[in-house]
Amino acid sequence: MLGGCAIVHRRLAQFGRLRAVTFRPNPPRMITVVIAVALLAIGVAGVFLPATVNDLIRALPLGADLTKQLLQLVHNDTVLYLCALAGPVLLAIGSLLPGI
């Protein structure tokens, strides 16, 4: 008696070749693309243009406490690098998982 794998390989050999595994990524949804581009823009602008981002945050009509918290967040380089990295990662996840 043959094992299960041997039977499968023998039947596939009768057809001449093994079937190739195909990878078909899905296109990400538009909201995923918009969020990914926004994260990438925030991360890159915060790393390379910190003075411009500071002026932009101060110009927004926000409360003093929220403005202070946003400025502290922007001065943290780790958060900016993670935002710049999260954009492409989100696009990859959106193309691999359906519905995202």
Side-chain angles (χ1 to χ4, degrees):
M1 177 170 217
L2 294 174
C5 290
I7 293 172
V8 170
H9 285 291
R10 190 172 68 182
R11 289 194 182 211
L12 288 175
Q14 289 174 354
F15 294 114
R17 65 183 173 102
L18 294 174
R19 291 187 179 188
V21 177
T22 58
F23 182 69
R24 298 180 188 189
N26 301 316
R29 291 188 173 189
M30 185 56 71
I31 188 68
T32 306
V33 174
V34 169
I35 292 172
V37 169
L39 284 172
L40 183 64
I42 290 168
V44 170
V47 170
F48 292 112
L49 305 168
T52 305
V53 173
N54 287 340
D55 294 339
L56 181 69
I57 290 173
R58 287 191 178 112
L60 292 174
L62 303 171
D65 188 41
L66 186 58
T67 302
K68 180 181 174 185
Q69 289 176 3
L70 283 175
L71 287 173
Q72 288 175 353
L73 190 64
V74 168
H75 288 291
N76 189 354
D77 287 338
T78 305
V79 172
L80 296 175
Y81 288 128
L82 287 175
C83 283
L85 178 68
V89 169
L90 184 62
L91 285 177
I93 290 171
S95 66
L96 295 176
L97 298 176
I100 293 180

